[in-house]
Amino acid sequence: MAGQSRGVPGLPALYGRAVVQGLRAAVPLPQLPLRGQRRPPPTDDLTAAGVSVSGVSLSSGHLAEYRAVCGYAASDQAVPPAYPHVLVFPLHLLVMTAPTFPFPALGMIHIANSIRRERALSPMDSVDLSVHATDLRAHRRGRQVTLASEARMAGELVWREESVFLSRGDSGGTPVQPQAEQPEPGAPSEDIQVVEPEPWRLPGGLGRTYAAASGDRNPIHLFDLTARPFGFRRHIAHGMWTQARALAELATRLPERFRVDVEFKAPLALPSTVRFRARDEAKRIGFDVRATTTSASAPRRPPATYLVGSVTRL
């Protein structure tokens, strides 16, 4: 680990650092001495790209607001399985804004996520959190890196996450490692149940509401105007909101221990109306989030798929 933090870092300062780094990447400037030392350059060596923090309360964030915006029932008081991501997010940003991190934080795209829950958590719990960067590799649209996060109680691993981020651009000539496609939900049989609620109607302000609950104020999620410099015509929903909303639909079907794997297949522009569908088998639940209609510009194509995932019961 690169360092031990006494508390979760403040997000405004981290976003300020991310903006400065983004400007430096867009307009390269000569490296100036800082207190007698030169700023270390970015590197592909991720050995020291990590941080940890102890004694974080699971109710220290906006837990009630998070539950509400992600669609959880008011009567369900358990900690949502994706909620610890909110608590490790400042550590993600701290790692990604370190001078030696290989990419600027702003503009990176979250393309996949995996969460393994070893047991259900209570708002009364406190955890020790750690994050480190790993698995830097080529991608067909640039390069990707994984941020591996852990939550422990008295040394026991209770929650683990792997978030894969894409930096668009040169892949560096390294062979691309293809990611496995998630199977799509199929037709039901006698021992398979299909979950298909009413379509989700996502308001234009969803990104800002989720940002207030999660702290993730990436400009691509807030307004059309702030999303356009990063290549999006409209602002888009957070991938972690889409995943959390899917898990809320499946909340009554999740066991104590499970693993959920998702791929964020396409940006989900706001406002939108989308369809969630899941196929519940004995050991596995496959699910996806798709557009309700085909695109007017490509009427012969199937509806766009935004998220594909699976839950494995452990």
Side-chain angles (χ1 to χ4, degrees):
M1 291 295 165
Q4 176 84 18
S5 175
R6 294 184 178 180
V8 176
L11 283 170
L14 290 173
Y15 271 113
R17 187 188 301 179
V19 169
V20 170
Q21 287 185 345
L23 291 174
R24 283 176 174 163
V27 184
L29 298 174
Q31 195 176 66
L32 300 177
L34 180 63
R35 295 181 182 178
Q37 295 183 347
R38 287 186 174 274
R39 180 183 177 88
T43 175
D44 287 355
D45 182 2
L46 301 178
T47 305
V51 67
S52 61
V53 63
S54 301
V56 177
S57 170
L58 287 170
S59 61
S60 63
H62 300 282
L63 181 54
E65 293 89 339
Y66 176 93
R67 294 173 54 80
V69 72
C70 294
Y72 281 88
S75 59
D76 183 357
Q77 295 302 306
V79 173
Y83 180 71
H85 174 87
V86 170
L87 302 181
V88 299
F89 175 71
L91 302 184
H92 281 194
L93 204 52
L94 186 62
V95 169
M96 289 192 289
T97 56
T100 56
F101 193 72
F103 316 120
L106 288 185
M108 293 187 70
I109 302 172
H110 197 179
I111 60 174
N113 182 269
S114 174
I115 291 173
R116 182 181 176 112
R117 188 179 76 175
E118 295 296 340
R119 68 175 179 86
L121 298 171
S122 161
M124 304 302 294
D125 292 333
S126 63
V127 292
D128 300 331
L129 303 174
S130 64
V131 174
H132 70 275
T134 185
D135 197 21
L136 180 64
R137 64 169 68 179
H139 185 279
R140 66 183 184 277
R141 291 189 292 159
R143 292 201 294 169
Q144 67 181 57
V145 66
T146 298
L147 295 188
S149 308
E150 291 184 352
R152 293 179 178 268
M153 296 177 61
E156 175 193 0
L157 180 66
V158 295
W159 182 91
R160 177 176 172 81
E161 176 193 62
E162 291 185 346
S163 289
V164 183
F165 293 91
L166 168 68
S167 177
R168 291 178 291 189
D170 183 10
S171 66
T174 307
V176 175
Q177 298 287 339
Q179 295 187 2
E181 289 287 333
Q182 295 282 356
E184 298 180 4
S189 66
E190 291 182 1
D191 59 344
I192 296 175
Q193 295 180 326
V194 171
V195 180
E196 190 166 8
E198 290 295 316
W200 301 346
R201 291 175 174 81
L202 315 184
L206 174 62
R208 297 185 291 277
T209 306
Y210 182 78
S214 68
D216 186 350
R217 292 181 169 83
N218 189 320
I220 66 176
H221 303 303
L222 303 181
F223 301 96
D224 293 349
L225 185 63
T226 57
R228 284 171 188 151
F230 300 95
F232 301 97
R233 291 191 301 114
R234 294 162 57 192
H235 65 296
I236 63 174
H238 295 72
M240 289 304 297
W241 175 87
T242 313
Q243 178 177 351
R245 183 68 182 85
L247 292 175
E249 290 285 2
L250 301 172
T252 60
R253 299 171 181 267
L254 298 179
E256 179 84 359
R257 298 178 64 242
F258 68 89
R259 174 181 173 123
V260 57
D261 298 279
V262 303
E263 291 184 38
F264 306 112
K265 309 294 283 187
L268 174 49
L270 297 172
S272 288
T273 299
V274 298
R275 174 183 66 82
F276 172 82
R277 189 169 184 261
R279 185 174 184 261
D280 190 350
E281 306 177 37
K283 291 286 293 182
R284 180 185 176 279
I285 306 173
F287 60 90
D288 62 34
V289 176
R290 298 174 182 265
T292 54
T293 59
T294 57
S295 168
S297 60
R300 296 184 179 180
R301 295 181 183 175
T305 301
Y306 302 114
L307 176 147
V308 175
S310 66
V311 171
T312 303
R313 298 179 171 97
L314 302 177

